[in-house]
Amino acid sequence: IEHYFCNHLKARSVCQAIREGRTPSKSNVGTDHDYQRFLIEAKHRGKILNHLSKPIQIIKGEKYLKTKVEEMNVTLPKICTRDALLEQIFQREMENENAFFPEWYESQGGEKGLRQSFDAAVKKKFCTLDLDKIFDSGVLDSVFEDFPRGFTY
């Protein structure tokens, strides 16, 4: 990583921070927004009447919706990226890691190691809830009918 930032990007401050052993103050691990999108789509389709103009309303609505789905023990349908596109992404990732981070690439097991971590990420990062199928099925209509009109803060 040091080689990439120092020699390819010529990012002096980042290069110096890496050499001094400093780490980022926050890590960017990503967040799943499926249930937030689900909640907002339910609002657009008239399934819930709640106001969703404040982040706290979305957070509480998301939590309620997710809890109800888990209580029902239902598996919601998902849409995933096509295999052909996933393979293109993987090939590009492999080329870039090998070109820009060769030591890291090899230390992680080369192509085999990258394939394992990529396949694990595919299950979480390249799929999303199929909202049309969920709404069309009516499987969660009772959840929307019982959706609380307001949340206490």
Side-chain angles (χ1 to χ4, degrees):
I1 292 176
E2 176 184 336
H3 178 77
Y4 181 72
F5 280 102
C6 298
N7 299 323
H8 291 283
L9 294 181
K10 302 197 185 315
R12 287 179 294 198
S13 296
V14 175
C15 180
Q16 182 178 350
I18 291 170
R19 287 180 175 156
E20 292 173 0
R22 290 186 274 154
T23 59
S25 58
K26 289 178 151 181
S27 89
N28 182 2
V29 294
T31 303
D32 181 355
H33 297 286
D34 269 353
Y35 280 88
Q36 290 179 7
R37 288 182 39 257
F38 191 9
L39 179 71
I40 292 166
E41 184 64 19
K43 171 70 174 170
H44 285 284
R45 292 182 185 222
K47 297 282 189 180
I48 60 172
L49 302 174
N50 300 57
H51 292 287
L52 300 175
S53 57
K54 297 179 182 172
I56 190 70
Q57 294 166 323
I58 293 173
I59 291 167
K60 289 187 178 219
E62 171 192 24
K63 183 177 178 182
Y64 177 84
L65 187 56
K66 195 171 193 175
T67 299
K68 290 298 179 183
V69 168
E70 288 170 0
E71 287 173 2
M72 292 175 72
N73 197 27
V74 62
T75 300
L76 299 177
K78 292 191 169 207
I79 299 172
C80 298
T81 305
R82 293 182 334 272
D83 289 342
L85 180 57
L86 288 172
E87 188 56 30
Q88 288 176 349
I89 293 169
F90 173 77
Q91 291 300 323
R92 179 67 50 95
E93 179 69 17
M94 187 171 58
E95 290 168 12
N96 287 335
E97 283 205 16
N98 199 17
F100 296 113
F101 307 107
E103 292 169 7
W104 170 260
Y105 176 76
E106 290 303 323
S107 73
Q108 299 302 306
E111 182 177 350
K112 183 178 178 184
L114 181 61
R115 173 62 74 183
Q116 288 173 339
S117 63
F118 185 81
D119 288 347
V122 163
K123 295 173 185 170
K124 293 182 179 184
K125 304 282 184 180
F126 291 91
C127 295
T128 189
L129 292 173
D130 188 336
L131 298 180
D132 289 331
K133 278 187 180 177
I134 295 168
F135 285 112
D136 290 347
S137 74
V139 69
L140 297 178
D141 283 352
S142 63
V143 171
F144 295 124
E145 289 167 7
D146 296 338
F147 205 89
R149 292 277 299 161
F151 296 103
T152 55
Y153 301 107

